[in-house]
Amino acid sequence: MFNLNFVTLAGIFALVFAGLLAVWILRQPRGEEKVSNLSDTIYSGALTFLNSEYKPLAVFVGIMAIILYVTDIPDEAAFAFIGGAFCSALAGNIGMRIATKSNSRAAVGAKKEIGKGLQIGFSSGAVMGMTVVGLALIGLTLIWNWRPDPGILIGFGFGASSIALFARVAGGIYTKSADMGADLVGKVEEKIPEDDPRNPAVIADNVGDNVGDVAGMGADLFESYAGSIISAITIGFGGIVIAGNNISSADAVLYPLTLAAFGVFASMIGAIFVRPGKGSDIGSLHNALNKGVFGSALIMVIFAYLLTNHFLGVLGPFYAMVSGLAAGIAIGLACEYFTESRFSPTQGIAEASQTGPATNIVRGFSVGLSSTLIPVISVCIAIGLSYHFAGLYGIPIAAVGMLSTLGMTLATDTYGPVNDNAAGIAEMGNMGSEVRTRAERLDAVGNTTAAIGKGFAIGSAALTAVALFSAYIDKIGIGAQQLSISEPMVIIGLFIGGLLTFIFSALTMEAVGKGASSMVEEVRRQFEKIPGLLKGEAEPQYEKCVEISTKAGLKNMVIPGGLAVITPILVGMWSVEALGGLLAGAIVTGLLLAITLANSGGAWDNAKKYIEEGNLGGKGSEAHAAAVTGDTVGDPFKDTSGPSLNILIKLMAMISLLFVPLFV
Amino acid sequence: MFNLNFVTLAGIFALVFAGLLAVWILRQPRGEEKVSNLSDTIYSGALTFLNSEYKPLAVFVGIMAIILYVTDIPDEAAFAFIGGAFCSALAGNIGMRIATKSNSRAAVGAKKEIGKGLQIGFSSGAVMGMTVVGLALIGLTLIWNWRPDPGILIGFGFGASSIALFARVAGGIYTKSADMGADLVGKVEEKIPEDDPRNPAVIADNVGDNVGDVAGMGADLFESYAGSIISAITIGFGGIVIAGNNISSADAVLYPLTLAAFGVFASMIGAIFVRPGKGSDIGSLHNALNKGVFGSALIMVIFAYLLTNHFLGVLGPFYAMVSGLAAGIAIGLACEYFTESRFSPTQGIAEASQTGPATNIVRGFSVGLSSTLIPVISVCIAIGLSYHFAGLYGIPIAAVGMLSTLGMTLATDTYGPVNDNAAGIAEMGNMGSEVRTRAERLDAVGNTTAAIGKGFAIGSAALTAVALFSAYIDKIGIGAQQLSISEPMVIIGLFIGGLLTFIFSALTMEAVGKGASSMVEEVRRQFEKIPGLLKGEAEPQYEKCVEISTKAGLKNMVIPGGLAVITPILVGMWSVEALGGLLAGAIVTGLLLAITLANSGGAWDNAKKYIEEGNLGGKGSEAHAAAVTGDTVGDPFKDTSGPSLNILIKLMAMISLLFVPLFV
């Protein structure tokens, strides 16, 4: 039973499951013409962006494949690289297509019954989740069957990473340029509601949710998932010893793949739990999602125990996996605590808004900084325990364990943007405020479960990066004393690695700022020049705004993306010790910065919502205006710079590992 | 000539020079009663704060001295620790006394002649600068004469570091609680000008400039100065080999001290250059300060060349010192570029203000992040070159070289707050807008030279911390392979070190936010409850606001300060490898965060000033309101959290080094 075919089969199952769900979604009613037209506009806007993005990416993939082919790196890695890039792009593409097909259907569903809206949104997310894991498992096993060499697999991982980085950066810049631009003129200057169809940037904003939060996230988690498995295989390939037991190379390679394959089934079972009954209230919807997430995690733990016990005969890797899983849950709960308005940090930001935007910003930023405590400690404990129980091999296994139920957790993540879009469509399509409220409530329901998913994403990124980094150190094969933190080369590397994460964040943030400024000018221009627009008597030129976002995203992904790819190669050719330091510095600083940016952004967002619920003066108060400022500042923090950092640290580790033959 | 007595003598010279300058300042006219009363109020407010601060610090010093005495650390270190703490506090105290005696005199001087204002402000700064270097040199040589053991000197350095950290944190929280509180109600809500005497927080704000920017900075640079010398002595104590030449322990110890002693004379000569002629315009005032800073640096280079050549006979350390100096200047110029309104980054922030506070904040923060590039690269180059030319010994020598003219550079730093206070006194004392403008212009003149001083402070902090860290690694005496970045313990340490800097910043920032909120409430209360206050018919209760700032500062220094002291000790007792990682992680992340916070704050401040000069709509425009928000956000960034981080990283390295006997 435990062989590569089983893993491939699990991948095929995942894709079939995704296909069935997709068929079910497409059978749901699309709504009246106005509503389905909106959905079509968003769909074609999103596809236009993806298609424009593929051109420069194809050039990049082509050039990089040639470089891989002509240098001392195994030639097969070049093909694996193309495969990884293709699968990553495909996963994001499919996820986005289905998400943009689901938005109006979720709105129509929610109109009928709130539970129906949940089911459509969740299924859309599950299509994406299952596609990601299915493509990854099939891709990895195909390559391994072709050439059983970790170096080739790393090529696959690098392909996935680079697409993920560019997609996250470009998508993040796209979505936040549109969002900030739409809000700054619409909500702040013209005082028209969010998602108002008179706002020329509203379509770009809704397209952005899909290209950033769906396609970007799909590519991101595809690479996390593949990356964690690849790093486990790389470390396990030489054979390992755990608690005195020898584990053969073949077993050490097959174990993480089989773990992931079991995860597919755990996710499917979990997904079936998510069945809200008729007439369900919010509480039971919440429970339905929770059952799915925790149910699949629990099933996974049982599967992992049985598998580890029978297949490896030594439980170390199982404990490693459990410590990873526990860390992921702890990180998720901590992120929830720091960003949800039920808890004091976010309420504190709302209170600080009463003395204006400056105190709101200072408080929010300090909440973001504080929120690093539990996640970083959790990562440290997970590293310590997984190493203790299963040596270096334990670290990626912890990440594999955390991501094994990705099919399920990604569904709760993607579910949010689909209902966000549904709420927008309800507003633009005049479906009535009840539908809008329901869609927004559905979005909110997903936040809690999404927090756990985000915890897994952050934790696994850190663990995977540490594992890849360890594999790099192992592969360069120089004495450990040369890599001592007392060596000036290593210290210099640490500084450069930390620096890269700061510069990378600066570049992405600045790109959003500039994109938003262009958007503001365009929206202002349309309000001025198109007669009757504000009165709703004329149509805005949505496509102009879509174009601005597209340009901002594509133009500005080049430098940060290039920096991430080129710097490790240059530093590595100069000194492998400095590159080791660079990776360690980037992982540490990148994790801290990513958490700070993500959580301060999330907390600002929810502090604003808390006030909008009627607290501290409610909508229209001074406090609300200050909180809107915080929310806008948080946009590029949480949706552009923050999430890109997670990919950056893995990408740099992956590229370093792949290019070792060039360095030594 | 080259012996300890020469060094002591140089220290005495420095103190005598400071005394003469102080006498000269005190002979200048204090101004009319109203003006001199204001100065007295600020003086006594500042002293009250310092006196309240000394009580908890005395308790801390007492307990820590007992711990040092009863543990395995050499008993003399306990006494040296008390000495270091005392000298550090004394340097800050003297500097602050003279600064608060100088403010009204500088205003009166500027009324007569702008050059006179410069001279008084600059002399006040020079008193502080010379006191700092004098006390440090005398303290260090006294201890070395008593017990020639680097372990004891480290006790001295630790005493200085701890006082510096607490003073910086408490002073920074004090000053920014008052500043933000005064501005949020005064400027934003009541639309009264800055430093308006009707504002109840105005005295606290002016006191804050002294306790934060003068006393805090004095203690800070005292410890940098002493710390760089101590780390050079620690590394040199075992004797060193440079380019095949053996340098004896005695010579390696004496060299940094003598370098610093020569710096005293270079600073004095530089200070004498700062003599603006009668009727000087801004340009020539600027030149006068520049001549002082660059003149003393140039003289120092010549002195260092001669000294190194004659005394050591090998030029490696001289090159190390020059690379440090060059890095300091590069960092200073980079900081200037990123924060001055003549250049595009700050102008970009001003432009982004036109679309509201959110874009102002995002742009400013991304400028802060970008501004890390040149400083970090400069530090890396300085580490690489100084190591190349003089081995590990070269790294602290680079820092010693950078700080050797501290007597001069600190003068240009402290000069700012004195003229800031003078401008406040001119406003409150109705001395006329001309005097206020002159004082403000003097403040602005100092900004450029202060940038270089700040560059030296940042660069030297990083180099000193790296040197202390290397000394720690050396002293724990474990194999380098145990300290490899591939060891999980080291990785965990790196994470914890990075984490500490984020949590520390969060705590200090939150303290300012909370202090400012209390201040806002109090100021609002007074405006409401004291009849006629806004019309200028009643006196505000200044002392209430002073009390709030004092409490905020003292209460909130405990946790971040305690964290900085206790964490390294606990981690070290658990694992010396993890502590090594912790120090490296904290240095890298701390430097990045410190630069980001300092420069984004500086850039926001100057973007606001740029608009106030009449650009982009000028005062009262929407852009100006947005820029005021940015400036307020920047207050705790640049004056509380940012500068404290520089001390934090050195303090943690110092404490780790001191406590090694407990760990191994």
Side-chain angles (χ1 to χ4, degrees):
Chain A
M1 176 183 175
F2 300 135
N3 55 40
L4 274 188
N5 293 336
F6 171 70
V7 180
T8 316
L9 202 70
I12 293 171
F13 261 112
L15 291 185
V16 170
F17 191 80
L20 292 176
L21 282 174
V23 169
W24 179 81
I25 291 170
L26 294 174
R27 280 201 187 144
Q28 304 303 313
R30 301 187 61 201
E32 294 162 26
E33 202 191 329
K34 192 171 179 189
V35 169
S36 62
N37 279 349
L38 281 167
S39 175
D40 286 344
T41 312
I42 296 173
Y43 174 78
S44 67
L47 272 194
T48 307
F49 172 73
L50 280 197
N51 289 333
S52 336
E53 193 185 39
Y54 291 150
K55 280 169 219 158
L57 289 188
V59 174
F60 166 79
V61 169
I63 294 174
M64 194 44 88
I66 294 172
I67 292 176
L68 293 176
Y69 196 80
V70 297
T71 52
D72 283 346
I73 296 156
D75 292 345
E76 293 92 336
F79 298 104
F81 168 75
I82 296 171
F86 178 77
C87 285
S88 166
L90 185 62
N93 191 305
I94 293 176
M96 210 205 61
R97 278 172 192 263
I98 204 74
T100 46
K101 290 280 180 200
S102 305
N103 47 18
S104 72
R105 290 177 168 90
V108 173
K111 188 172 182 179
K112 201 174 146 201
E113 175 101 59
I114 191 162
K116 191 79 181 173
L118 175 118
Q119 220 176 338
I120 295 174
F122 175 79
S123 302
S124 164
V127 171
M128 164 89 134
M130 288 299 178
T131 308
V132 162
V133 301
L135 286 177
L137 291 182
I138 295 171
L140 290 171
T141 48
L142 275 182
I143 292 177
W144 196 257
N145 274 322
W146 176 46
R147 294 280 188 279
D149 172 356
I152 316 294
L153 274 194
I154 294 161
F156 184 84
F158 175 46
S161 288
S162 4
I163 295 301
L165 188 76
F166 285 111
R168 255 298 192 202
V169 169
I173 295 170
Y174 184 108
T175 180
K176 292 302 132 176
S177 301
D179 192 3
M180 282 177 76
D183 286 356
L184 285 169
V185 186
K187 282 206 281 192
V188 180
E189 292 181 8
E190 305 290 348
K191 315 277 181 209
I192 58 176
E194 174 120 24
D195 290 324
D196 191 292
R198 288 169 293 173
N199 193 328
V202 71
I203 291 291
D205 185 8
N206 277 280
V207 169
D209 288 343
N210 291 291
V211 301
D213 297 349
V214 180
M217 184 150 53
D220 180 353
L221 284 161
F222 179 85
E223 85 97 359
S224 283
Y225 186 75
S228 65
I229 298 173
I230 294 170
S231 53
I233 292 177
T234 308
I235 292 174
F237 188 62
I240 44 171
V241 181
I242 295 172
N245 296 279
N246 283 308
I247 292 171
S248 70
S249 165
D251 283 359
V253 165
L254 197 53
Y255 177 71
L257 286 165
T258 316
L259 209 54
F262 273 108
V264 170
F265 299 106
S267 300
M268 283 183 195
I269 301 171
I272 291 165
F273 280 136
V274 186
R275 295 266 158 238
K278 274 212 167 183
S280 0
D281 58 356
I282 285 294
S284 61
L285 294 180
H286 211 281
N287 279 345
L289 279 182
N290 263 343
K291 262 189 220 159
V293 171
F294 288 101
S296 56
L298 190 69
I299 293 166
M300 189 57 215
V301 170
I302 299 169
F303 278 170
Y305 175 80
L306 297 173
L307 170 72
T308 316
N309 203 14
H310 286 82
F311 181 61
L312 295 183
V314 50
L315 278 176
F318 168 71
Y319 296 129
M321 180 248 168
V322 172
S323 46
L325 206 63
I329 291 172
I331 296 171
L333 294 176
C335 292
E336 204 185 323
Y337 173 75
F338 277 96
T339 57
E340 298 265 311
S341 59
R342 284 172 295 149
F343 304 104
S344 66
T346 299
Q347 288 181 8
I349 298 174
E351 275 156 30
S353 310
Q354 293 174 292
T355 41
T359 37
N360 165 289
I361 301 289
V362 170
R363 188 61 162 268
F365 191 63
S366 81
V367 163
L369 290 168
S370 316
S371 75
T372 53
L373 182 66
I374 296 170
V376 173
I377 298 285
S378 304
V379 166
C380 287
I381 295 177
I383 292 174
L385 288 180
S386 57
Y387 183 80
H388 172 78
F389 286 118
L392 214 47
Y393 186 65
I395 296 175
I397 291 299
V400 171
M402 225 189 263
L403 289 175
S404 54
T405 55
L406 185 69
M408 178 67 215
T409 48
L410 190 51
T412 63
D413 255 2
T414 319
Y415 159 93
V418 170
N419 274 295
D420 204 359
N421 254 250
I425 287 176
E427 176 78 30
M428 291 186 279
N430 297 320
M431 289 177 71
S433 65
E434 175 65 13
V435 182
R436 183 179 170 83
T437 313
R438 283 183 183 176
E440 278 180 348
R441 208 169 284 168
L442 283 172
D443 187 13
V445 167
N447 276 342
T448 317
T449 37
I452 302 292
K454 273 182 196 127
F456 284 9
I458 294 170
S460 67
L463 291 175
T464 303
V466 169
L468 288 168
F469 159 75
S470 308
Y472 164 80
I473 296 289
D474 194 47
K475 201 168 173 188
I476 53 176
I478 60 171
Q481 72 277 5
Q482 283 171 264
L483 287 160
S484 161
I485 39 172
S486 59
E487 288 297 314
M489 273 303 186
V490 175
I491 294 274
I492 290 173
L494 284 170
F495 273 117
I496 296 176
L499 178 64
L500 270 177
T501 64
F502 273 58
I503 298 299
F504 183 84
S505 302
L507 288 170
T508 47
M509 215 173 272
E510 209 183 304
V512 173
K514 285 185 180 166
S517 289
S518 316
M519 190 63 82
V520 163
E521 279 164 30
E522 173 60 23
V523 175
R524 281 184 184 160
R525 188 194 67 78
Q526 292 200 23
F527 276 128
E528 259 175 43
K529 295 289 159 71
I530 301 177
L533 176 55
L534 250 182
K535 290 180 191 149
E537 292 160 0
E539 280 279 297
Q541 298 163 338
Y542 295 126
E543 67 290 353
K544 292 253 179 195
C545 293
V546 169
E547 205 184 304
I548 287 175
S549 269
T550 304
K551 268 193 191 159
L554 296 185
K555 206 179 97 189
N556 291 306
M557 75 177 178
V558 179
I559 296 180
L563 195 73
V565 172
I566 294 167
T567 320
I569 301 180
L570 290 182
V571 171
M573 294 201 301
W574 171 55
S575 151
V576 287
E577 292 90 347
L579 181 54
L582 182 151
L583 296 177
I587 292 171
V588 168
T589 315
L591 178 66
L592 285 161
L593 202 53
I595 298 171
T596 301
L597 295 176
N599 285 345
S600 56
W604 274 316
D605 188 355
N606 286 326
K608 183 200 70 174
K609 287 187 180 148
Y610 179 74
I611 294 176
E612 285 175 351
E613 283 161 14
N615 300 297
L616 305 168
K619 266 194 180 180
S621 63
E622 289 280 314
H624 182 244
V628 167
T629 299
D631 178 38
T632 313
V633 169
D635 274 341
F637 279 40
K638 73 177 195 300
D639 292 320
T640 312
S641 307
S644 310
L645 282 169
N646 281 332
I647 311 178
L648 176 76
I649 57 178
K650 284 175 291 174
L651 171 68
M652 293 204 299
M654 196 76 87
I655 199 171
S656 305
L657 186 54
L658 184 62
F659 275 78
V660 166
L662 225 71
F663 304 152
V664 288
Chain B
M1 177 181 173
F2 301 135
N3 56 38
L4 274 189
N5 292 337
F6 171 70
V7 180
T8 316
L9 203 70
I12 293 170
F13 261 111
L15 292 186
V16 170
F17 190 80
L20 292 175
L21 281 175
V23 169
W24 179 82
I25 291 171
L26 294 174
R27 280 200 186 142
Q28 305 303 312
R30 300 189 62 202
E32 294 162 25
E33 203 190 327
K34 191 170 179 192
V35 169
S36 62
N37 279 349
L38 281 167
S39 175
D40 286 345
T41 313
I42 295 172
Y43 175 78
S44 67
L47 273 193
T48 308
F49 173 73
L50 281 197
N51 289 334
S52 336
E53 193 184 39
Y54 291 150
K55 280 169 218 156
L57 289 189
V59 174
F60 166 79
V61 169
I63 293 174
M64 193 46 86
I66 294 172
I67 292 175
L68 293 176
Y69 195 81
V70 298
T71 52
D72 284 345
I73 296 155
D75 291 347
E76 293 92 335
F79 298 104
F81 169 74
I82 295 171
F86 179 77
C87 285
S88 165
L90 185 62
N93 192 303
I94 292 176
M96 210 206 60
R97 276 173 194 265
I98 203 74
T100 45
K101 291 280 180 201
S102 306
N103 47 17
S104 72
R105 290 177 168 89
V108 174
K111 189 173 182 178
K112 202 174 146 204
E113 175 100 59
I114 192 162
K116 191 80 181 171
L118 175 119
Q119 221 176 338
I120 295 174
F122 175 79
S123 302
S124 164
V127 171
M128 165 88 136
M130 287 299 179
T131 308
V132 163
V133 300
L135 285 176
L137 291 183
I138 294 171
L140 291 171
T141 48
L142 275 181
I143 292 176
W144 196 257
N145 273 323
W146 176 47
R147 293 280 189 281
D149 173 356
I152 316 294
L153 274 194
I154 294 162
F156 184 84
F158 175 46
S161 287
S162 5
I163 295 301
L165 187 77
F166 284 111
R168 252 304 189 197
V169 170
I173 295 170
Y174 183 110
T175 179
K176 292 301 132 176
S177 301
D179 192 3
M180 283 177 76
D183 287 355
L184 285 170
V185 186
K187 283 206 281 192
V188 180
E189 291 181 8
E190 305 291 348
K191 315 279 180 207
I192 58 176
E194 174 119 27
D195 291 326
D196 191 293
R198 290 169 293 175
N199 192 329
V202 72
I203 291 292
D205 186 8
N206 277 281
V207 169
D209 288 342
N210 290 291
V211 302
D213 298 348
V214 180
M217 183 150 53
D220 180 353
L221 284 161
F222 179 85
E223 85 97 1
S224 283
Y225 186 76
S228 66
I229 298 173
I230 293 170
S231 53
I233 292 177
T234 308
I235 293 174
F237 188 62
I240 44 170
V241 181
I242 295 172
N245 296 278
N246 282 308
I247 292 171
S248 71
S249 165
D251 284 358
V253 165
L254 198 53
Y255 177 70
L257 286 165
T258 316
L259 209 55
F262 272 108
V264 170
F265 299 105
S267 301
M268 282 182 196
I269 301 172
I272 291 164
F273 279 136
V274 186
R275 294 265 159 241
K278 274 208 168 184
S280 356
D281 59 356
I282 285 295
S284 60
L285 296 178
H286 211 279
N287 279 345
L289 279 182
N290 264 342
K291 263 191 221 160
V293 171
F294 288 103
S296 56
L298 190 68
I299 293 166
M300 189 58 214
V301 170
I302 299 168
F303 279 170
Y305 176 80
L306 296 173
L307 170 72
T308 316
N309 202 14
H310 285 85
F311 181 61
L312 295 184
V314 50
L315 279 177
F318 168 71
Y319 296 129
M321 180 249 171
V322 172
S323 47
L325 206 62
I329 291 172
I331 296 171
L333 293 176
C335 292
E336 206 185 320
Y337 173 74
F338 277 97
T339 57
E340 298 265 311
S341 59
R342 285 172 294 148
F343 303 105
S344 65
T346 299
Q347 288 180 7
I349 298 174
E351 275 155 30
S353 310
Q354 294 173 292
T355 39
T359 37
N360 164 290
I361 300 289
V362 170
R363 189 61 163 268
F365 191 63
S366 82
V367 163
L369 291 167
S370 318
S371 76
T372 53
L373 182 66
I374 296 170
V376 172
I377 297 286
S378 303
V379 166
C380 287
I381 295 176
I383 291 175
L385 287 180
S386 56
Y387 183 80
H388 173 77
F389 286 118
L392 215 48
Y393 186 65
I395 296 174
I397 291 298
V400 172
M402 227 189 263
L403 290 175
S404 55
T405 55
L406 185 69
M408 178 67 215
T409 48
L410 190 51
T412 63
D413 255 2
T414 319
Y415 158 95
V418 170
N419 274 295
D420 203 0
N421 255 248
I425 287 176
E427 176 79 30
M428 289 186 279
N430 297 323
M431 289 176 72
S433 65
E434 174 65 13
V435 182
R436 183 180 170 82
T437 312
R438 284 184 183 175
E440 278 180 349
R441 209 169 284 168
L442 282 172
D443 187 12
V445 167
N447 276 342
T448 318
T449 37
I452 302 292
K454 272 182 197 130
F456 284 9
I458 294 170
S460 67
L463 291 175
T464 304
V466 170
L468 288 167
F469 159 74
S470 309
Y472 163 80
I473 297 289
D474 194 46
K475 202 169 172 186
I476 53 176
I478 61 170
Q481 71 278 5
Q482 283 171 265
L483 287 160
S484 161
I485 40 172
S486 59
E487 288 297 313
M489 273 303 186
V490 175
I491 294 275
I492 289 173
L494 284 170
F495 273 118
I496 296 175
L499 177 64
L500 270 177
T501 65
F502 273 58
I503 297 300
F504 184 84
S505 303
L507 289 169
T508 48
M509 214 172 272
E510 206 183 307
V512 173
K514 286 185 180 165
S517 288
S518 314
M519 191 62 82
V520 163
E521 279 164 29
E522 172 61 23
V523 175
R524 281 183 184 162
R525 189 195 66 78
Q526 292 200 23
F527 275 129
E528 260 176 43
K529 295 287 159 72
I530 302 177
L533 175 55
L534 251 182
K535 290 181 191 149
E537 292 159 1
E539 280 279 298
Q541 299 164 339
Y542 295 128
E543 68 290 352
K544 292 254 181 195
C545 293
V546 169
E547 207 183 301
I548 286 174
S549 269
T550 305
K551 268 193 192 160
L554 296 184
K555 206 180 97 189
N556 291 306
M557 74 178 179
V558 179
I559 295 179
L563 195 72
V565 171
I566 294 168
T567 320
I569 300 180
L570 290 182
V571 172
M573 296 203 298
W574 171 54
S575 151
V576 287
E577 292 90 348
L579 181 53
L582 182 151
L583 295 178
I587 291 171
V588 169
T589 315
L591 179 67
L592 285 162
L593 201 53
I595 298 171
T596 301
L597 295 176
N599 286 346
S600 56
W604 274 316
D605 188 353
N606 286 326
K608 182 200 70 175
K609 287 185 182 150
Y610 179 73
I611 294 176
E612 285 176 352
E613 282 160 15
N615 299 297
L616 303 169
K619 267 195 180 178
S621 63
E622 288 281 314
H624 182 244
V628 167
T629 299
D631 178 38
T632 313
V633 169
D635 274 342
F637 279 40
K638 74 177 192 301
D639 292 320
T640 312
S641 307
S644 310
L645 282 169
N646 281 332
I647 312 178
L648 176 76
I649 57 179
K650 285 175 289 175
L651 170 69
M652 293 202 299
M654 197 77 88
I655 199 170
S656 305
L657 187 54
L658 184 63
F659 275 78
V660 166
L662 226 71
F663 304 153
V664 288

